mmCIF file of all heavy atoms in Angstrom:
data_model
loop_
_atom_site.group_PDB
_atom_site.id
_atom_site.type_symbol
_atom_site.label_atom_id
_atom_site.label_comp_id
_atom_site.label_asym_id
_atom_site.label_seq_id
_atom_site.Cartn_x
_atom_site.Cartn_y
_atom_site.Cartn_z
ATOM 1 N N LEU A 71 -24.346 -0.416 14.159
ATOM 2 C CA LEU A 71 -23.055 0.125 14.590
ATOM 3 C C LEU A 71 -22.810 -0.213 16.062
ATOM 4 O O LEU A 71 -21.750 -0.708 16.425
ATOM 5 C CB LEU A 71 -23.046 1.635 14.356
ATOM 6 C CG LEU A 71 -21.837 2.457 14.741
ATOM 7 C CD1 LEU A 71 -21.857 3.762 13.987
ATOM 8 C CD2 LEU A 71 -21.704 2.721 16.204
ATOM 9 N N GLN A 72 -23.805 0.050 16.909
ATOM 10 C CA GLN A 72 -23.651 -0.204 18.346
ATOM 11 C C GLN A 72 -23.455 -1.689 18.633
ATOM 12 O O GLN A 72 -22.655 -2.062 19.486
ATOM 13 C CB GLN A 72 -24.857 0.332 19.122
ATOM 14 C CG GLN A 72 -24.861 1.840 19.273
ATOM 15 C CD GLN A 72 -23.612 2.421 19.930
ATOM 16 O OE1 GLN A 72 -23.219 3.514 19.585
ATOM 17 N NE2 GLN A 72 -22.985 1.742 20.850
ATOM 18 N N LYS A 73 -24.180 -2.556 17.899
ATOM 19 C CA LYS A 73 -24.044 -3.997 18.122
ATOM 20 C C LYS A 73 -22.638 -4.465 17.768
ATOM 21 O O LYS A 73 -21.994 -5.166 18.551
ATOM 22 C CB LYS A 73 -25.074 -4.776 17.312
ATOM 23 C CG LYS A 73 -24.937 -6.289 17.526
ATOM 24 C CD LYS A 73 -26.066 -7.066 16.960
ATOM 25 C CE LYS A 73 -25.963 -8.560 17.126
ATOM 26 N NZ LYS A 73 -24.887 -9.128 17.856
ATOM 27 N N ILE A 74 -22.145 -4.078 16.602
ATOM 28 C CA ILE A 74 -20.789 -4.468 16.185
ATOM 29 C C ILE A 74 -19.765 -3.901 17.167
ATOM 30 O O ILE A 74 -18.858 -4.612 17.610
ATOM 31 C CB ILE A 74 -20.488 -3.973 14.749
ATOM 32 C CG1 ILE A 74 -21.342 -4.718 13.728
ATOM 33 C CG2 ILE A 74 -19.004 -4.095 14.412
ATOM 34 C CD1 ILE A 74 -20.945 -6.147 13.465
ATOM 35 N N ALA A 75 -19.895 -2.631 17.514
ATOM 36 C CA ALA A 75 -18.951 -2.001 18.443
ATOM 37 C C ALA A 75 -18.953 -2.735 19.786
ATOM 38 O O ALA A 75 -17.893 -3.016 20.352
ATOM 39 C CB ALA A 75 -19.295 -0.526 18.624
ATOM 40 N N ASP A 76 -20.139 -3.059 20.296
ATOM 41 C CA ASP A 76 -20.234 -3.765 21.579
ATOM 42 C C ASP A 76 -19.697 -5.188 21.478
ATOM 43 O O ASP A 76 -18.971 -5.652 22.356
ATOM 44 C CB ASP A 76 -21.684 -3.794 22.074
ATOM 45 C CG ASP A 76 -22.205 -2.424 22.472
ATOM 46 O OD1 ASP A 76 -21.375 -1.489 22.636
ATOM 47 O OD2 ASP A 76 -23.438 -2.277 22.599
ATOM 48 N N ASP A 77 -20.045 -5.901 20.394
ATOM 49 C CA ASP A 77 -19.604 -7.291 20.221
ATOM 50 C C ASP A 77 -18.082 -7.416 20.192
ATOM 51 O O ASP A 77 -17.529 -8.420 20.634
ATOM 52 C CB ASP A 77 -20.173 -7.885 18.926
ATOM 53 C CG ASP A 77 -21.653 -8.200 19.004
ATOM 54 O OD1 ASP A 77 -22.247 -8.112 20.111
ATOM 55 O OD2 ASP A 77 -22.233 -8.525 17.950
ATOM 56 N N TYR A 78 -17.407 -6.418 19.656
ATOM 57 C CA TYR A 78 -15.954 -6.505 19.481
ATOM 58 C C TYR A 78 -15.162 -5.583 20.403
ATOM 59 O O TYR A 78 -13.955 -5.420 20.233
ATOM 60 C CB TYR A 78 -15.589 -6.247 18.013
ATOM 61 C CG TYR A 78 -16.128 -7.322 17.117
ATOM 62 C CD1 TYR A 78 -17.280 -7.116 16.373
ATOM 63 C CD2 TYR A 78 -15.515 -8.568 17.040
ATOM 64 C CE1 TYR A 78 -17.805 -8.112 15.565
ATOM 65 C CE2 TYR A 78 -16.027 -9.566 16.241
ATOM 66 C CZ TYR A 78 -17.173 -9.337 15.511
ATOM 67 O OH TYR A 78 -17.685 -10.331 14.719
ATOM 68 N N GLY A 79 -15.829 -4.982 21.368
ATOM 69 C CA GLY A 79 -15.126 -4.130 22.324
ATOM 70 C C GLY A 79 -14.560 -2.864 21.717
ATOM 71 O O GLY A 79 -13.517 -2.373 22.146
ATOM 72 N N LEU A 80 -15.245 -2.323 20.716
ATOM 73 C CA LEU A 80 -14.779 -1.136 19.999
ATOM 74 C C LEU A 80 -15.701 0.044 20.296
ATOM 75 O O LEU A 80 -16.444 0.507 19.440
ATOM 76 C CB LEU A 80 -14.745 -1.420 18.486
ATOM 77 C CG LEU A 80 -13.822 -2.556 18.056
ATOM 78 C CD1 LEU A 80 -14.073 -2.932 16.610
ATOM 79 C CD2 LEU A 80 -12.366 -2.170 18.272
ATOM 80 N N ARG A 81 -15.628 0.538 21.488
ATOM 81 C CA ARG A 81 -16.517 1.610 21.952
ATOM 82 C C ARG A 81 -16.508 2.796 20.985
ATOM 83 O O ARG A 81 -15.466 3.327 20.634
ATOM 84 C CB ARG A 81 -16.073 2.050 23.347
ATOM 85 C CG ARG A 81 -17.019 3.005 24.033
ATOM 86 C CD ARG A 81 -16.491 3.422 25.402
ATOM 87 N NE ARG A 81 -15.374 4.352 25.251
ATOM 88 C CZ ARG A 81 -14.105 4.062 25.527
ATOM 89 N NH1 ARG A 81 -13.776 2.884 25.979
ATOM 90 N NH2 ARG A 81 -13.158 4.948 25.369
ATOM 91 N N LEU A 82 -17.712 3.177 20.547
ATOM 92 C CA LEU A 82 -17.881 4.322 19.653
ATOM 93 C C LEU A 82 -19.066 5.167 20.102
ATOM 94 O O LEU A 82 -20.006 4.661 20.708
ATOM 95 C CB LEU A 82 -18.156 3.851 18.216
ATOM 96 C CG LEU A 82 -16.978 3.321 17.417
ATOM 97 C CD1 LEU A 82 -17.436 2.829 16.054
ATOM 98 C CD2 LEU A 82 -15.899 4.373 17.247
ATOM 99 N N HIS A 83 -19.016 6.426 19.753
ATOM 100 C CA HIS A 83 -20.097 7.363 20.036
ATOM 101 C C HIS A 83 -20.616 7.862 18.678
ATOM 102 O O HIS A 83 -19.966 8.707 18.053
ATOM 103 C CB HIS A 83 -19.604 8.523 20.901
ATOM 104 C CG HIS A 83 -18.978 8.065 22.179
ATOM 105 N ND1 HIS A 83 -19.717 7.625 23.250
ATOM 106 C CD2 HIS A 83 -17.674 7.936 22.534
ATOM 107 C CE1 HIS A 83 -18.899 7.260 24.231
ATOM 108 N NE2 HIS A 83 -17.660 7.437 23.821
ATOM 109 N N PRO A 84 -21.759 7.360 18.221
ATOM 110 C CA PRO A 84 -22.246 7.655 16.872
ATOM 111 C C PRO A 84 -22.413 9.132 16.546
ATOM 112 O O PRO A 84 -22.262 9.524 15.392
ATOM 113 C CB PRO A 84 -23.594 6.939 16.808
ATOM 114 C CG PRO A 84 -23.567 5.942 17.906
ATOM 115 C CD PRO A 84 -22.646 6.461 18.950
ATOM 116 N N ASP A 85 -22.713 9.971 17.552
ATOM 117 C CA ASP A 85 -23.021 11.371 17.270
ATOM 118 C C ASP A 85 -21.843 12.324 17.482
ATOM 119 O O ASP A 85 -21.997 13.536 17.315
ATOM 120 C CB ASP A 85 -24.221 11.812 18.112
ATOM 121 C CG ASP A 85 -25.456 10.995 17.760
ATOM 122 O OD1 ASP A 85 -25.719 10.804 16.557
ATOM 123 O OD2 ASP A 85 -26.136 10.517 18.686
ATOM 124 N N ARG A 86 -20.678 11.788 17.823
ATOM 125 C CA ARG A 86 -19.503 12.657 17.983
ATOM 126 C C ARG A 86 -18.894 12.954 16.630
ATOM 127 O O ARG A 86 -18.830 12.099 15.748
ATOM 128 C CB ARG A 86 -18.475 11.999 18.899
ATOM 129 C CG ARG A 86 -18.955 12.041 20.348
ATOM 130 C CD ARG A 86 -17.924 11.692 21.366
ATOM 131 N NE ARG A 86 -16.716 12.500 21.273
ATOM 132 C CZ ARG A 86 -15.545 12.091 21.776
ATOM 133 N NH1 ARG A 86 -15.447 10.930 22.397
ATOM 134 N NH2 ARG A 86 -14.487 12.860 21.668
ATOM 135 N N TYR A 87 -18.418 14.186 16.497
ATOM 136 C CA TYR A 87 -17.761 14.589 15.266
ATOM 137 C C TYR A 87 -16.331 14.053 15.245
ATOM 138 O O TYR A 87 -15.655 14.013 16.279
ATOM 139 C CB TYR A 87 -17.769 16.116 15.117
ATOM 140 C CG TYR A 87 -19.134 16.627 14.746
ATOM 141 C CD1 TYR A 87 -20.059 16.973 15.726
ATOM 142 C CD2 TYR A 87 -19.502 16.724 13.406
ATOM 143 C CE1 TYR A 87 -21.323 17.427 15.376
ATOM 144 C CE2 TYR A 87 -20.764 17.173 13.047
ATOM 145 C CZ TYR A 87 -21.675 17.515 14.041
ATOM 146 O OH TYR A 87 -22.921 17.938 13.685
ATOM 147 N N VAL A 88 -15.878 13.670 14.063
ATOM 148 C CA VAL A 88 -14.554 13.079 13.920
ATOM 149 C C VAL A 88 -13.462 14.030 14.384
ATOM 150 O O VAL A 88 -12.482 13.602 14.996
ATOM 151 C CB VAL A 88 -14.331 12.604 12.464
ATOM 152 C CG1 VAL A 88 -12.883 12.202 12.230
ATOM 153 C CG2 VAL A 88 -15.270 11.442 12.148
ATOM 154 N N TYR A 89 -13.603 15.332 14.137
ATOM 155 C CA TYR A 89 -12.552 16.267 14.542
ATOM 156 C C TYR A 89 -12.326 16.252 16.051
ATOM 157 O O TYR A 89 -11.287 16.687 16.530
ATOM 158 C CB TYR A 89 -12.827 17.689 14.048
ATOM 159 C CG TYR A 89 -14.064 18.355 14.621
ATOM 160 C CD1 TYR A 89 -14.091 18.869 15.910
ATOM 161 C CD2 TYR A 89 -15.211 18.491 13.839
ATOM 162 C CE1 TYR A 89 -15.235 19.475 16.420
ATOM 163 C CE2 TYR A 89 -16.344 19.098 14.334
ATOM 164 C CZ TYR A 89 -16.355 19.592 15.631
ATOM 165 O OH TYR A 89 -17.473 20.192 16.131
ATOM 166 N N ASP A 90 -13.283 15.742 16.807
ATOM 167 C CA ASP A 90 -13.193 15.671 18.268
ATOM 168 C C ASP A 90 -12.604 14.353 18.786
ATOM 169 O O ASP A 90 -12.486 14.177 19.994
ATOM 170 C CB ASP A 90 -14.607 15.791 18.849
ATOM 171 C CG ASP A 90 -14.808 17.040 19.665
ATOM 172 O OD1 ASP A 90 -13.831 17.765 19.882
ATOM 173 O OD2 ASP A 90 -15.960 17.264 20.079
ATOM 174 N N LEU A 91 -12.270 13.436 17.899
ATOM 175 C CA LEU A 91 -11.885 12.082 18.309
ATOM 176 C C LEU A 91 -10.377 11.866 18.294
ATOM 177 O O LEU A 91 -9.652 12.462 17.488
ATOM 178 C CB LEU A 91 -12.544 11.060 17.373
ATOM 179 C CG LEU A 91 -14.066 11.099 17.304
ATOM 180 C CD1 LEU A 91 -14.569 10.090 16.276
ATOM 181 C CD2 LEU A 91 -14.692 10.855 18.661
ATOM 182 N N SER A 92 -9.920 10.973 19.158
ATOM 183 C CA SER A 92 -8.513 10.572 19.171
ATOM 184 C C SER A 92 -8.232 9.689 17.949
ATOM 185 O O SER A 92 -9.155 9.222 17.275
ATOM 186 C CB SER A 92 -8.210 9.776 20.442
ATOM 187 O OG SER A 92 -8.828 8.494 20.373
ATOM 188 N N MET A 93 -6.969 9.442 17.694
ATOM 189 C CA MET A 93 -6.593 8.572 16.580
ATOM 190 C C MET A 93 -7.141 7.155 16.791
ATOM 191 O O MET A 93 -7.592 6.506 15.850
ATOM 192 C CB MET A 93 -5.073 8.526 16.410
ATOM 193 C CG MET A 93 -4.476 9.796 15.856
ATOM 194 S SD MET A 93 -5.080 10.129 14.194
ATOM 195 C CE MET A 93 -5.624 11.793 14.393
ATOM 196 N N GLY A 94 -7.109 6.672 18.018
ATOM 197 C CA GLY A 94 -7.640 5.345 18.316
ATOM 198 C C GLY A 94 -9.132 5.258 18.032
ATOM 199 O O GLY A 94 -9.615 4.259 17.489
ATOM 200 N N GLU A 95 -9.876 6.300 18.388
ATOM 201 C CA GLU A 95 -11.317 6.321 18.117
ATOM 202 C C GLU A 95 -11.581 6.372 16.609
ATOM 203 O O GLU A 95 -12.506 5.721 16.110
ATOM 204 C CB GLU A 95 -11.970 7.522 18.806
ATOM 205 C CG GLU A 95 -12.007 7.393 20.322
ATOM 206 C CD GLU A 95 -12.407 8.678 21.013
ATOM 207 O OE1 GLU A 95 -11.849 9.749 20.686
ATOM 208 O OE2 GLU A 95 -13.294 8.604 21.881
ATOM 209 N N ARG A 96 -10.763 7.099 15.895
ATOM 210 C CA ARG A 96 -10.917 7.180 14.441
ATOM 211 C C ARG A 96 -10.673 5.817 13.808
ATOM 212 O O ARG A 96 -11.386 5.413 12.891
ATOM 213 C CB ARG A 96 -9.966 8.227 13.853
ATOM 214 C CG ARG A 96 -10.325 9.637 14.255
ATOM 215 C CD ARG A 96 -9.307 10.641 13.802
ATOM 216 N NE ARG A 96 -9.576 11.941 14.380
ATOM 217 C CZ ARG A 96 -9.295 13.078 13.794
ATOM 218 N NH1 ARG A 96 -8.722 13.107 12.616
ATOM 219 N NH2 ARG A 96 -9.582 14.211 14.401
ATOM 220 N N GLN A 97 -9.663 5.122 14.311
ATOM 221 C CA GLN A 97 -9.399 3.790 13.779
ATOM 222 C C GLN A 97 -10.564 2.844 14.063
ATOM 223 O O GLN A 97 -10.928 2.023 13.231
ATOM 224 C CB GLN A 97 -8.109 3.212 14.336
ATOM 225 C CG GLN A 97 -7.790 1.865 13.699
ATOM 226 C CD GLN A 97 -6.606 1.199 14.317
ATOM 227 O OE1 GLN A 97 -6.636 0.881 15.489
ATOM 228 N NE2 GLN A 97 -5.566 1.002 13.527
ATOM 229 N N ARG A 98 -11.172 2.969 15.238
ATOM 230 C CA ARG A 98 -12.326 2.120 15.560
ATOM 231 C C ARG A 98 -13.470 2.365 14.579
ATOM 232 O O ARG A 98 -14.175 1.430 14.201
ATOM 233 C CB ARG A 98 -12.776 2.355 17.005
ATOM 234 C CG ARG A 98 -11.787 1.759 18.005
ATOM 235 C CD ARG A 98 -12.377 1.646 19.397
ATOM 236 N NE ARG A 98 -12.692 2.911 20.029
ATOM 237 C CZ ARG A 98 -11.873 3.591 20.829
ATOM 238 N NH1 ARG A 98 -10.677 3.129 21.105
ATOM 239 N NH2 ARG A 98 -12.273 4.725 21.378
ATOM 240 N N ILE A 99 -13.646 3.612 14.139
ATOM 241 C CA ILE A 99 -14.676 3.891 13.121
ATOM 242 C C ILE A 99 -14.365 3.091 11.856
ATOM 243 O O ILE A 99 -15.241 2.441 11.282
ATOM 244 C CB ILE A 99 -14.750 5.399 12.776
ATOM 245 C CG1 ILE A 99 -15.228 6.210 13.975
ATOM 246 C CG2 ILE A 99 -15.663 5.626 11.567
ATOM 247 C CD1 ILE A 99 -15.122 7.718 13.769
ATOM 248 N N GLU A 100 -13.116 3.153 11.422
ATOM 249 C CA GLU A 100 -12.711 2.438 10.208
ATOM 250 C C GLU A 100 -12.943 0.930 10.352
ATOM 251 O O GLU A 100 -13.421 0.277 9.423
ATOM 252 C CB GLU A 100 -11.232 2.709 9.890
ATOM 253 C CG GLU A 100 -10.904 4.147 9.580
ATOM 254 C CD GLU A 100 -11.142 4.532 8.128
ATOM 255 O OE1 GLU A 100 -11.658 3.716 7.348
ATOM 256 O OE2 GLU A 100 -10.811 5.679 7.784
#
Side-chain angles (χ1 to χ4, degrees):
L71 179 160
Q72 285 304 147
K73 179 169 179 4
I74 292 287
D76 292 345
D77 287 352
Y78 295 101
L80 299 169
R81 189 181 73 250
L82 284 177
H83 304 284
D85 298 315
R86 287 192 55 202
Y87 286 90
V88 170
Y89 64 76
D90 245 354
L91 302 177
S92 71
M93 288 297 128
E95 290 169 312
R96 292 174 189 211
Q97 184 186 62
R98 288 195 295 267
I99 294 171
E100 297 275 5

